[in-house]
Amino acid sequence: MAAICVFCASSRTLDQRFLDLAAETGAEIARRGHTLVSGGGCVGMMGAVADGARAAGGRTLGIIPQTLVDLEVADLASDELLVTESMADRKTLMLDKSDAFLTLPGGLGTLDELFEVWTTATLALHAKPMVLVDTDGFYRPLLDWLGGLTDQTFLKPAGLALLTVVDTVPAALDALESQLV
């Protein structure tokens, strides 16, 4: 099966519905027999997605920079925890170790990771599927803005089309599985 990387928030102050969404995502990945690749944190949605995967019998791979290990936010329960020197190294390793990418709600770090894999896909540096879960229209303003970039020719429609947008976790896994080679 596939190694599916989930990008999501690590904030400790999130509404419970986002934590539940993350736990549901981890559980669905595990139920379908996939490995969860995460940012290696034990807090916020990142911790919830890993806990959800493990609770459903799934395998977890965390990738975290040493600076976050030093802050004691590492998911020490991961089946495998890889520690990198920097955030940039973390993103590179996440890209290398993953077969597909699923993005849940999040902030700057989540967007940074999404745009990293999306940009490298537009440059044909990889052809790994990417799905964005737009639960409750969380990403609608961003998606509208990105659509405007295509209208102004800053972003080619083919680049925009590389990202599949769905509104539920099961639909996200269905989309990823249909695109995995």
Side-chain angles (χ1 to χ4, degrees), residues 10-27:
S10 61
S11 171
R12 297 175 193 250
T13 60
L14 296 173
D15 188 90
Q16 186 63 43
R17 69 188 175 109
F18 292 116
L19 299 173
D20 293 344
L21 176 68
E24 172 193 344
T25 302

Side-chain angles (χ1 to χ4, degrees), residues 48-117:
V49 73
D51 289 343
R54 285 190 292 272
R59 181 176 185 282
T60 59
L61 166 61
I63 303 172
I64 190 167
Q66 183 63 53
T67 55
L68 295 181
V69 173
D70 294 344
L71 291 174
E72 298 182 353
V73 295
D75 181 14
L76 300 178
S78 287
D79 294 301
E80 185 178 0
L81 187 65
L82 302 177
V83 179
T84 64
E85 286 191 32
S86 69
M87 293 292 276
D89 293 339
R90 174 204 221 179
K91 288 187 296 186
T92 299
L93 197 54
M94 290 169 92
L95 181 61
D96 290 345
K97 295 283 186 183
S98 302
D99 301 309
F101 303 91
L102 188 157
T103 302
L104 296 173
L108 291 177
T110 302
L111 292 172
D112 177 50
E113 292 164 337
L114 168 63
F115 283 116
E116 177 84 16
V117 298

